């Protein structure tokens, strides 16, 4: 939700509310997946994980720079979005 809020602010988007669809209902718990398989997956997506961490840090910085008014808008958006899902 925070990411959508920051994108809306950055690109002056209109309504960014969404509903979740196609959610996996019978997903395995992480504990059910063999650790060898998890390690193999991590090996193949290492660069993706690095990019994700970089983007996560940028988002954190952006959230830290929000004004008081923008923080209030974000909280309002989160409440509205929670009511949709």
């Amino acid at each position: 939700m925070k990411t959508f809020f920051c994108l809306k602010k950055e690109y002056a988007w209109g309504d960014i509310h969404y509903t979740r669809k196609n959610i996996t209902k019978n997903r395995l718990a992480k504990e059910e997946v063999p650790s060898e398989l998890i390690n193999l997956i991590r090996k193949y997506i290492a660069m993706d994980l690095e990019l994700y961490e970089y983007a996560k840090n940028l988002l954190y910085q952006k959230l830290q720079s929000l004004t008081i008014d923008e923080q209030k808008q974000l909280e309002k958006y989160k409440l509205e979005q929670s009511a949709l899902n």
Side-chain angles (χ1 to χ4, degrees), residues 5 67-78:
F5 180 82
T67 65
I68 299 289
D69 186 48
E70 290 168 335
Q71 291 174 20
K72 289 178 184 176
Q73 291 173 26
L74 173 58
E75 289 307 313
K76 180 181 177 206
Y77 169 68
K78 286 166 52 177

Side-chain angles (χ1 to χ4, degrees), residues 5-84:
F5 180 82
C6 288
L7 288 170
K8 173 186 167 75
K9 181 179 169 293
E10 187 72 25
Y11 296 106
W13 289 348
D15 182 15
I16 55 170
H17 292 89
Y18 63 94
T19 56
R20 295 179 180 190
K21 296 184 179 184
N22 298 324
I23 300 169
T24 303
K25 294 180 178 139
N26 298 323
R27 184 178 184 176
L28 292 176
K30 185 176 179 180
E31 297 77 30
E32 296 176 288
V33 180
S35 59
E36 298 83 18
L37 180 56
I38 291 174
N39 290 335
L40 181 63
I41 291 169
R42 282 191 179 130
K43 176 183 171 187
Y44 284 106
I45 65 166
M47 292 181 77
D48 297 311
L49 293 173
E50 188 176 330
L51 177 60
Y52 171 75
E53 285 301 318
Y54 177 76
K56 193 167 74 169
N57 287 331
L58 287 178
L59 176 61
Y60 176 79
Q61 291 172 15
K62 187 66 86 173
L63 291 170
Q64 295 301 310
S65 70
L66 292 177
T67 65
I68 299 289
D69 186 48
E70 290 168 335
Q71 291 174 20
K72 289 178 184 176
Q73 291 173 26
L74 173 58
E75 289 307 313
K76 180 181 177 206
Y77 169 68
K78 286 166 52 177
L79 287 172
E80 293 169 350
Q81 191 57 44
S82 293
L84 293 175

